[in-house]
Amino acid sequence: MKAIPPCLLACTALMAGGCGGSSSSSTRSHAQASTRRSATVESAPPALAGVRGRVLTAGEMPGYSPQGQRLLGIDAQSWTIVDLTPPAQRATEGAFLSRIGFVAGVRENLAAAAGQESGLSTVERFRSAAGARTELANVVKQFLASPPGAKTFAVPGIPRGRGFGRSGAGMAGVNVAFVSGRYCYLVGAGGPTGVPGAPTRAVVIAAAQRLYHRVPRVG
């Protein structure tokens, strides 16, 4: 399991210097290189066809837009790279994901129209709905076990949706995760507080609600 789930780090990366849109160019290039053979969902292996269209698109999170190429994980191990799991934890995390039936995933990095804010939208497909629910529980558990200040909040309009975030030292992050069938989704944004465009729960929740109501319930 992740010590601190990298897929959440629209919230924590900006505060800890880690991931999401704020990840280093070298880290991102490693992820891109590892997934180059599946550069587009349309031409990707069949497992990835099922995740097509299941991340945020332009306009679904106001003030944020897709940045760069979508990163694809074609198996559990490649997803640990795309998801920016620390190298020392990739073997353990990959084994965990394989055990719960990970099939494929997509990560969309988001950039704010102005300022230093960044965000992300990810989807992971599993062989069963139980696997997706296990991943959601793991994501929230590991986030809450990370450094102080992590809090949960209600997510209206998304059955069993989980909201969680952190603020401190002039930075804040907000994340919403939910499961629909065999898919586990995460939407997040993070950046400095007290500036125009600073991430808010309302913006992230609204984006997650749009995604929840847009994506197919089966597949």
Side-chain angles (χ1 to χ4, degrees), residues 93-145:
E93 177 64 12
F96 168 74
L97 290 170
S98 293
R99 188 166 63 251
I100 65 174
F102 179 91
V103 174
V106 176
R107 176 189 176 105
E108 177 84 273
N109 289 319
L110 306 171
Q116 303 176 45
E117 298 78 23
S118 64
L120 81 167
S121 173
T122 70
V123 57
E124 298 168 78
R125 182 184 181 188
F126 292 85
R127 287 194 291 271
S128 68
R133 292 193 299 268
T134 298
E135 172 67 345
L136 175 61
N138 177 60
V139 158
V140 176
K141 176 183 177 181
Q142 296 296 343
F143 181 87
L144 294 177

Side-chain angles (χ1 to χ4, degrees), residues 148-163:
K151 297 180 179 180
T152 60
F153 54 88
V155 181
I158 301 179
R160 296 174 295 281
R162 304 294 303 273

Side-chain angles (χ1 to χ4, degrees), residues 18-109:
C19 100
S22 65
S23 61
S24 69
S25 59
S26 61
T27 301
R28 187 179 296 114
S29 66
H30 286 317
Q32 289 170 329
S34 70
T35 56
R36 190 167 295 151
R37 59 196 174 108
S38 55
T40 66
V41 175
E42 289 74 12
S43 63
L48 280 167
V51 293
R52 182 185 294 120
R54 292 179 182 268
V55 292
L56 291 177
T57 59
E60 290 189 312
M61 184 184 288
Y64 295 80
S65 59
Q67 178 186 50
Q69 187 177 30
R70 288 177 180 171
L71 302 179
L72 313 177
I74 61 174
D75 53 34
Q77 201 57 48
S78 65
W79 182 247
T80 67
I81 300 173
V82 170
D83 207 28
L84 302 183
T85 303
Q89 299 173 20
R90 287 176 187 164
T92 300
E93 177 64 12
F96 168 74
L97 290 170
S98 293
R99 188 166 63 251
I100 65 174
F102 179 91
V103 174
V106 176
R107 176 189 176 105
E108 177 84 273
N109 289 319

